[in-house]
Every structure is written in C-alpha cells, then in structure tokens.
Amino acid sequence: MAKRNKQYVCQSCGAVAAKWAGKCESCGGWNTLVEEIIEVAGPKSLNPKSGRAIDLVGLAGQDTPPPRRVSGVAEIDRVLGGGLVPGSAVLIGGDPGIGKSTLLLQVVARLSKAGRCAYISGEEAIDQVRMRAVRLGVTAAPVELAASTNVRDILATLDAADGPDVVVIDSIQTMYVETLDSAPGTVAQVRASAQELIRLAKKRGIALLLVGHVTKEGTIAGPRVLEHMVDTVLYFEGERGHQFRILRGVKNRFGPTDEIGVFEMTEAGLMEVPNPSALFLADRRDDVSGAVVFAGMEGTRPVLVEIQALVAPSPFGTPRRAVIGWDSGRLAMVTAVLEARCGLEFTGRDVFLNVAGGLKITEPAADLAVAAALVSSLTGAASAADTVVFGEIGLSAEVRAVGQTESRLKEAAKLGFTRAIMPARRKSKNAGAGLNAGLQIEEIGQVSTLAEKFLAAENGASVRRLAKPH
Ligand code: TYD
Ligand code: MG
C-alpha cells in the first residue's frame, strides 16, 4: 500500500532534505526548504512476466527525421543549431525584463507564417500581450494567444491531432498541476508542469519553448532538474543599462553549445545584430590607455570586443580587484604573472577590468589582451588603435597558441585593423602566405616582450611612476 511521507525540497537548488532546516545544506540559501508530500510505494519487486516486452531496434533508422522549424531570425536559429526540432523542449532563462517574452513573441510571429503557433501567457493578460504585439508590429501574424496557468486545461487544448506545431509557455514558474498540493512556482509544481508539457510535446511533435525565471545567483529558478528534463537550455543575458542582449546556449541535444545570438533592444523590439564586432567597438576611443581590442571567438563566429583596464593607486590597505564580463580568478592569475615574471607592480593599486558592451568572455585567449590592457593602463601608454590582441598566458609567462587564428584575423581585417599581436604559430601552419588576412603579424612568445613594448613606448616619466606608486 502507498504510504504518505514528507520531504523538504530547497526551492533554489532542488536539494532534498529529510528534515526542515533554516538553511539549505547544499546551496547555503536561507529559508528555502519547503515541505512536499511524497507518495512512497511499499517495497515490492517487479515480476518480469507482468511487463510487456519492448522492441529493441538498430541505430540506423528508416525514417528521415522531421525537418527543423526555421524561424528566419538567424541569431536564434544558429544558437538552436539550425532551427527548432519538432518534439523537443527548449528552456529560455533570463533576468526579469531582459526581453524573453519579447523575443519569443517575435519568433512565434515569424514561425506562425509556416505552421500553427500558440503563445500561452501565465504572467500577462491577453491585452498586455496584444499591446506588445502592436509595439513589435506583428499584430497581423496568425499567432494563437491564450492566458492560462492551468496545465490540465493547456494539455486539453494542445492535445489534438491538428494542434499547434510550436507552443510558447511564458513562464513555467506560473504553471500549476491541480493534483499537487504545492503552490505554483515551487520545485514540485515546476517539475510536474514541465513533465506534463514535455510529455505532450514528444507525443505530438510539438516544438515547446519554456520561459524560465532565474534566481539572484543566475541559474534557472528552482530546479536544476528542469535543465535535465529539456533538450536545450538557452540563457538570454545582457546588462540592463545596455541595449545589447545575448542569447547563449548552455545545453543543446541537437546542436552546438558555444554559439551566441546577438540582439539589440530597440523601441520596436529586438533587432538582430549580424555583425556584433562593429557594435561592440562602436563607442571606442583610440587614444586612451588601458583599452585593447581582443579578437575573440564565440562558437563559430569571431567577435571583436574592447577590453578596458584601469589601474589606479588605492586609498585602501587591501586594493580592490573588480571585473565585469571576465573571470576574476583569471584576472588574478594574469596580474600575478605580470608581477612575478615581468617585474610590474600592482601592489597598492586598485585594478578594474571591464569588457565593453556587456559581453561575457570565457575564452582563455583573452589573457594576452587583458595583460596588454593592464600594462597599458599601468604605464599610461595607449595601445595602437589599429591592433588586435589575442593569446593564452601560461603560469611561466609563456604565450600559448589558441584556435581559429584565421577567423580572428579575417574579422579584424574586415573591420579595418592592420596589426595583430598574437602567439607564435607552428611552422607548418605558417607556410601559407594567405593566412595573415592582410594583417601585419607580431608573434609574441613571452608576456615580458609585450610589457617591454609598452614600457618602451612611454617616456621615462611614466616608468618612474611605475616604480613608485603615489
Ligand atoms: P520583456 O520581454 O517583458 O522581458 P521578460 O519577459 O524577460 O521579463 O521585456 C521588457 C523590457 O523590454 C521592458 O523593460 C521594455 C523593453 N522593451 C523595449 O525596449 N522595446 C520593445 O519593443 C519591447 C516590447 C520591450
Ligand atoms: Mg516576460
């Protein structure tokens, strides 16, 4: 006989505890444990005779998979790996107000021209969604709109042979399954709602798009479990003050995970940015020290972005180290290498590092550009405006080779740069003369060479300033 039992589930990380506590053991969140009733079936071993045998089949199938649904919004199609896969579930996370609802309404408006699309809003009333549609200029699109939070009703609507092909649920945290006691937004409800919706999507071949809220820590609210249940997880991110928005894949069963889509939030919705480098470099001034252009890669696409550093005398005993858009651990490593191996002094100085435009860089190839920006700010010598920098730095101050050199150089040449400071390439690769993309290449083997360049560029006064912080 089934026995009712209690467990306590953390609403922020999904950890399960047997006893209630004020603090979650797993994520350290306060007051996040909520009671849930679990149905426990009594121990009973299964009798193999009572089951039905399932078919075991080979890997090569006869049927061709159904075609992907291409939205025509190139930035999202690329992140998805070439469009939406029928029968799959995509979770889109992001801070409130970042533009998730806007993006999805624009996408379904495009897709509705080729198939039936439903947009189910649990957060906004029909009129509010309509107002947004007016603003986006998509009122003519045949999107089927509903405002509902009851999963049973939603399933009844969608579970028809001629039902919609694409369904947006905005957001999964507002949905609830009546048979559960917990309130909407709790882990149990979110998990049960997602499970039901995903099951239907698989059965009917629906491409399901779920909006998920994120917590203060930046992960999708409540459930890590949700990330395991869906096929694709995308994050929509950006700084609130900036107009750029970046769609980033973090899990994708049907495509790459390192691609990004870049959008600009305008008065009339999100616009695609086919050439992000031009946008990220738009406000650049070329005569300031501490600013260096990094030739980076985001998935298959090269992205040029400005790295800004400010090294200033600190009024505090413990100088500050602040980083926006890069990893603070990596910054600590680069400053340590510059201090220990190149004789530069960061003690007693605050260090601020910023990736302009609100982009977040994860590539180690940014090391050399960061080092150049730091040295430039420290010495007061501006980096040449026509130069891009990239390369990974090792702990012994060696500059290591990075991938996709050619794409980086080509993008730099396209945007009018004429010089590149980069790691030494292997001889065999260097053989072809066309690989330089018309750029003047300066290969650097040691970080100290880079530091010396800046020191040489600046006159004696700043070198003295370097030796004696004030
Ligand atoms: P929204 O899509 O509601 O965000 P989310 O669903 O992620 O919470 O976006 C809301 C923000 O976008 C809001 O601050 C206004 C802004 N916005 C524009 O700047 N232009 C537009 O055309 C639209 C529709 C919204
Ligand atoms: Mg919204």
Side-chain angles (χ1 to χ4, degrees), residues 430-448:
N430 220 355
L435 294 184
N436 293 350
L439 267 77
Q440 192 190 329
I441 306 286
E442 197 168 327
E443 293 184 349
I444 282 200
Q446 286 289 320
V447 184
S448 49

Side-chain angles (χ1 to χ4, degrees), residues 403-419:
Q404 290 152 302
T405 304
E406 239 180 293
S407 309
R408 297 175 202 264
L409 294 178
K410 266 195 208 136
E411 178 78 357
K414 207 166 83 190
L415 285 151
F417 288 87
T418 56
R419 264 162 33 99

Side-chain angles (χ1 to χ4, degrees), residues 101-115:
S101 306
T102 308
L103 177 72
L104 291 178
L105 191 58
Q106 283 183 280
V107 168
V108 286
R110 294 268 193 111
L111 282 168
S112 65
K113 296 189 179 113

Side-chain angles (χ1 to χ4, degrees), residues 95-102 124 132 135-136 265-269:
D95 289 331
I98 205 77
K100 302 180 292 296
S101 306
T102 308
E124 291 159 307
R132 179 175 294 131
R135 197 167 169 191
L136 301 173
M265 183 61 100
T266 68
E267 270 309 297

